[in-house]
Amino acid sequence: SWRMRTSDIGGPQRESLLRHPFRTFKPEVVQAHTQSMVNVDLDLGVMYELTDGTKGVVQPLGGFLGELNGPPFVKLSGDDRFGSGSGETAFVNLDHRDDIKRLLVFVYIYDQTPAFDRTHAIITLYPSNGPRIEIGLDERHPQARSCAVVMIENNKGELTVRREVKFVYGFQAELDRLYGWGLQWGRGYKSKVER
């Protein structure tokens, strides 16, 4: 999940919400580096490698939302374009942990405006047992367009989770090169959303 940092957009505007309560459903606007106004659309993605050698990506871009009960055993809840409280969720079917070799959870900015430093993004892991784990993407990398957040690897039947939080200045292809996935990447677009 994410929201714009209120310190970067002129502070909270409580009184206008009392007069116009439906503004809470409108995306907040952030001042970009070019001094134009933009909305930031962060997307959650997962690169996967299965034990049979199958590799791919689950992400909103291109509509690759995955499959929970079949390969790749990872499924996205959908595409949150406005930073709502629920954000985006990736589900991993742990009944098939033996089929999973590794998963790289990452976040990228769809609209190409590098503004990680203007968002308050948090990745929350909900393990099958134990407390939830929150990873804030608070480091200031104003030109970064993608961030590798967590690597999940199957080591002899045990899943290990490693915090990465590595910001890169490119998109998925650069994360792919950094972690040696070897996928072919092309340019993708989302359908237009009326606001």
Side-chain angles (χ1 to χ4, degrees), residues 49-51 97-103 152-155 159:
E49 182 177 0
L50 303 181
T51 53
R97 82 177 87 226
D98 292 338
D99 296 311
I100 298 170
K101 182 175 180 182
R102 62 181 179 153
L103 304 172
I152 301 169
E153 292 179 296
N154 189 337
N155 294 315
L159 291 183

Side-chain angles (χ1 to χ4, degrees), residues 5 10 13 51 62 108 119 133 139 141 148 154-155 176:
R5 291 183 187 275
Q13 300 180 1
T51 53
Y108 63 96
T119 63
I133 302 162
E139 298 172 30
H141 290 269
N154 189 337
N155 294 315
D176 181 317

